[in-house]
């Protein structure tokens, strides 16, 4: 049976990437060493890191005045590293769009006074607050794509302070105007590869501000100066990301990927909007391309659907516990056949099949 994995993360990876990783596992490029065994100081690994860096720069059109870093600690460590490095006057503003914003706010609080300048809490986080936004803090933090609630920003807020964005669940799903941001960060396990690595794209002028009274691992300038090789980086996770980036390029680049993501998400939203049983409650203009929550409005029916879908090979469709219902994560690696299988199962369940 073909299984389609709708998990929010760690999530589906492109099958060609897994096959390539398998074929290179025991003998990487004639070295008779596994990628897992390569020294991070070896020429072979440095080439992997260089390729991953230049593919990020190429696919996202990252300008030269930004550093591209591969760190550990997940997006979660960035919730602390950002205020530690950038909150020079100890003031950070946030746009609160849900659970991951809340975590980012809580982790900045020990280091800075945090202020929420806009929130969609009153709307149960089913929309993105409308601008204009004003901030005079050290930076403004936004959660670009809200993995739990299924909302996304469509354009970068225009503010006169550095803009920092958590792109964990939507990086490389669409082109980004990198120039509109000062820091972009994303954990790997949703759209980039395997857990263990966090991509940080940061403006060099901010890196230069890093305070020196910080442990070395916590300092952006240390990582930038050593090209992510200050300490042992997550080598295998970086390698998998390199394979994913190569796969995106082979598929035709970000334009092709984006067009496919848009078509897949549109087909699912369309089915939900025309269903008499299932619905998605997110404001139409703010709907995520990557994470699509839906429900019947009745928990017992939702549970029955999740079990029915699983019997048909569609796994990890349960929604986040804070939202309930179902959630389909349609990351870049989700094949269109997976979305078609989901549409078919939705239709049959609505017709009464159990
Ligand atoms: C998954 C996720 C995180 C947390 O990532 P970790 O790698 O577990 O630290 C943070 N923000 C968003 C938007 C996420 O989707």
């Amino acid at each position: 049976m073909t299984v389609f994995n709708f998990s929010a993360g760690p999530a589906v990876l492109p099958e060609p990437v897994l096959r390539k990783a398998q074929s290179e596992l025991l003998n990487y490029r004639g070295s008779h060493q596994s990628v897992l065994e390569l020294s991070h100081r070896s020429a072979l690994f440095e080439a992997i890191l260089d390729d991953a860096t230049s593919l990020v720069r190429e696919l996202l059109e990252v300008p030269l005045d930004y550093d591209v870093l591969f760190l550990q600690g997940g997006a979660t460590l960035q919730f602390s590293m950002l205020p530690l490095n950038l909150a020079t006057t100890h003031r950070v503003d946030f746009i609160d769009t849900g659970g991951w914003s809340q975590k980012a706010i809580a982790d900045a609080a020990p280091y800075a006074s945090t202020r929420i300048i806009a929130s969609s809490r009153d709307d149960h986080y089913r929309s993105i607050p409308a601008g204009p936004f004003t901030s005079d803090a050290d930076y403004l933090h936004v959660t670009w794509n809200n993995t739990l609630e299924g909302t996304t920003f469509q354009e970068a807020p225009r503010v006169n302070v550095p803009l920092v964005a958590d792109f964990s669940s939507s990086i490389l799903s669409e082109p980004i105007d990198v120039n509109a941001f000062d820091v972009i960060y994303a954990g790997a396990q949703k759209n980039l590869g395997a857990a263990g690595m966090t991509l940080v794209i940061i403006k060099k002028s901010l890196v230069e501000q890093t305070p020196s009274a910080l442990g070395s691992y916590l300092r952006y300038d240390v990582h930038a100066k050593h090209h992510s090789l200050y300490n042992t980086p997550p080598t295998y996770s970086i390698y998998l990301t390199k394979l994913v980036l190569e796969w995106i390029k082979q598929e035709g680049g970000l334009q092709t990927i984006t067009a496919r993501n848009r078509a897949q998400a549109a087909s699912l939203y369309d089915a939900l909007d025309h269903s008499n049983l299932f619905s998605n409650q997110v404001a139409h203009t703010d709907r995520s391309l990557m994470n699509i929550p839906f429900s019947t409005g009745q928990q017992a029916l939702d549970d029955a659907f999740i079990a029915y879908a699983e019997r048909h090979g569609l796994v990890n469709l349960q929604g986040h516990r804070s939202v309930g219902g179902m959630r389909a994560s349609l990351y870049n690696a989700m094949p269109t056949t997976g979305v078609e299988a989901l549409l078919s199962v939705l239709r049959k369940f609505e017709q009464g099949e159990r």
Side-chain angles (χ1 to χ4, degrees), residues 69 81 85 210-224:
L69 309 176
M81 271 179 81
N85 282 272
T210 302
S212 52
L214 269 185
S216 54
Y217 195 86
L218 298 172
R219 291 172 55 166
Y220 289 125
D221 64 339
V222 167
H223 294 294

Side-chain angles (χ1 to χ4, degrees), residues 54-109:
S54 46
L55 283 162
V56 167
R57 287 193 177 278
E58 179 184 337
L59 292 169
L60 286 174
E61 298 180 30
V62 179
L64 287 172
D65 56 333
Y66 288 76
D67 282 312
V68 173
L69 309 176
F70 298 97
L71 308 182
Q72 304 191 49
T76 300
L77 182 58
Q78 295 310 303
F79 296 166
S80 297
M81 271 179 81
L82 287 161
L84 281 168
N85 282 272
L86 306 182
T88 46
T89 71
H90 306 285
R91 289 176 306 145
V92 185
D93 281 348
F94 291 84
I95 297 178
D96 166 33
T97 49
W100 285 117
S101 300
Q102 290 289 332
K103 290 241 163 110
I105 295 165
D107 275 358

Side-chain angles (χ1 to χ4, degrees), residues 145-350:
N145 182 77
N146 294 275
T147 324
L148 318 181
E149 298 85 0
T151 60
T152 185
F153 281 82
Q154 304 290 350
E155 60 179 64
R158 268 174 242 288
V159 281
N160 289 323
V161 297
L163 181 63
V164 171
D166 179 355
F167 268 89
S168 289
S169 48
S170 61
I171 189 91
L172 285 159
S173 65
E174 287 186 293
I176 302 175
D177 175 14
V178 175
N179 273 310
F181 301 90
D182 296 82
V183 184
I184 288 169
Y185 67 98
Q189 70 273 21
K190 280 124 187 186
N191 233 356
L192 280 177
M197 184 212 90
T198 315
L199 174 67
V200 177
I201 301 170
I202 179 169
K203 214 163 190 174
K204 288 184 196 264
S205 56
L206 286 183
V207 171
E208 286 159 11
Q209 285 182 13
T210 302
S212 52
L214 269 185
S216 54
Y217 195 86
L218 298 172
R219 291 172 55 166
Y220 289 125
D221 64 339
V222 167
H223 294 294
K225 185 169 158 225
H226 294 89
H227 304 285
S228 306
L229 286 170
Y230 173 70
N231 71 327
T232 315
T235 53
Y236 200 74
S237 189
I238 292 171
Y239 161 75
L240 274 180
T241 292
K242 183 203 79 132
L243 296 186
V244 167
L245 297 167
E246 286 172 347
W247 171 79
I248 290 175
K249 212 174 149 177
Q250 276 154 20
E251 290 290 286
L254 215 46
Q255 302 300 336
T256 310
I257 294 283
T258 301
R260 188 159 69 206
N261 288 340
R262 293 213 172 117
Q264 289 182 356
S267 71
L268 179 52
Y269 283 121
D270 189 60
L272 295 170
D273 290 343
H274 287 93
S275 166
N276 292 316
L277 182 63
F278 300 102
S279 68
N280 166 279
Q281 305 286 334
V282 172
H284 285 223
T285 51
D286 300 334
R287 285 173 157 181
S288 169
L289 281 186
M290 295 284 98
N291 309 100
I292 304 183
F294 59 99
S295 94
T296 65
Q298 299 172 56
Q299 200 186 326
L301 257 186
D302 286 348
D303 292 345
F305 174 75
I306 290 162
Y308 174 78
E310 198 167 311
R311 287 198 295 282
H312 289 78
L314 311 187
V315 301
N316 296 321
L317 275 166
Q318 62 279 9
H320 189 264
R321 60 191 179 280
S322 67
V323 177
M326 285 74 77
R327 168 176 53 178
S329 293
L330 308 183
Y331 295 123
N332 289 350
M334 174 57 67
T336 298
T337 47
V339 181
E340 287 165 356
L342 175 59
L343 296 184
S344 154
V345 159
L346 284 167
R347 208 163 35 237
K348 287 185 184 152
F349 188 84
E350 184 166 345

